Amino acid sequence: MPSDSDPSSSAPPFQGRTIALVGLMGAGKSTVGRRLADKLGRNFYDSDHEIEKAAGLSISDIFSLHGEADFRRGEKQVIRRLLELPPHVLATGGGAYLDPETRQVLRERAITVWLNADLETLWRRVQKRDTRPLLQRADAKDHLAHLVLEREPFYSQADLVVHSKDGPHTHTVNAILKALQTWKSE
Ligand code: S3P
């Protein structure tokens, strides 16, 4: 029976691993992740949604009632727990990959894909929802620009980078599938 490590196996190299999407708010992690999961016949999880379920509160309420530090603790625990599940597609919250322990556990158990989008694209998309506490401020676009600069050095540590452009989501899904074919375990 061929295994994932057997070069004669026809299974794609990423078969045994969770695919985790990282990147900024508005990069399309949830929308694209759900479609990617459908295409691969895998389950889809969204760390923000799992935190909300566990807390029984929205992200905005967690931030306002308990503070960002508490949210980050919950986020770290939730991602660690999700990574124990069989291979799936995981959309991580935009700040999750900045945590060194989360980066480490993702490195060990997942293939990380940075969904990279330019500031104007991110800004256009995030304006559609007012559910992101970090952008509830008068200078939201400037702050988003600041987050782009501050976070790029972290996101660029992901295993793969795929550009998230406007247009049909299937284009981004196919770009991820193509990038995954190039992935090799260390
Ligand atoms: C955050 C991104 C959000 C959510 C929270 C904080 C961030 O997730 O986790 O509002 O720090 O960038 P999305 O990236 O899914 O919007």
Side-chain angles (χ1 to χ4, degrees):
M1 172 99 159
S3 72
D4 277 4
S5 57
D6 178 346
S8 69
S9 164
S10 58
F14 58 85
Q15 180 100 319
R17 289 219 178 199
T18 283
I19 298 160
L21 304 182
V22 304
L24 264 161
M25 301 172 269
K29 300 176 299 270
S30 304
T31 320
V32 167
R34 192 169 284 112
R35 285 170 173 77
L36 177 65
D38 280 352
K39 191 133 185 180
L40 293 172
R42 290 184 174 199
N43 286 334
F44 171 72
Y45 296 94
D46 179 321
S47 67
D48 284 343
H49 181 63
E50 296 298 316
I51 296 163
E52 289 181 323
K53 259 194 349 199
L57 292 170
S58 68
I59 303 285
S60 298
D61 286 344
I62 300 173
F63 268 70
S64 60
L65 296 171
H66 301 289
E68 181 172 351
D70 234 54
F71 170 76
R72 297 296 174 198
R73 269 191 292 279
E75 180 172 58
K76 186 162 34 188
Q77 281 169 8
V78 158
I79 291 177
R80 187 169 281 276
R81 172 175 63 76
L82 290 171
L83 288 172
E84 283 173 7
L85 299 176
H88 56 274
V89 176
L90 171 64
T92 64
Y97 199 59
L98 274 68
D99 179 84
E101 287 174 35
T102 299
R103 275 205 305 285
Q104 180 60 28
V105 72
L106 283 165
R107 195 170 293 129
E108 287 164 11
R109 306 221 179 127
I111 305 173
T112 44
V113 182
W114 172 22
L115 271 193
N116 185 11
D118 58 55
L119 175 64
E120 293 306 322
T121 305
L122 296 170
W123 177 239
R124 210 171 30 253
R125 293 180 183 161
V126 295
Q127 286 176 92
K128 293 181 188 151
R129 280 171 40 201
D130 62 357
T131 51
R132 294 180 170 105
L134 295 185
L135 298 178
Q136 298 308 305
R137 43 195 287 163
D139 63 346
K141 188 174 180 189
D142 287 348
H143 189 57
L144 186 61
H146 161 78
L147 292 176
V148 168
L149 290 179
E150 184 182 64
R151 292 179 174 186
E152 272 185 4
F154 296 96
Y155 296 142
S156 62
Q157 295 173 40
D159 295 311
L160 302 167
V161 186
V162 167
H163 222 84
S164 164
K165 300 189 196 109
D166 278 341
H169 296 302
T170 47
H171 288 180
T172 311
V173 170
N174 289 337
I176 295 174
L177 289 170
K178 198 167 157 203
L180 283 168
Q181 296 297 337
T182 68
W183 178 82
K184 289 189 184 64
S185 62
E186 285 163 8

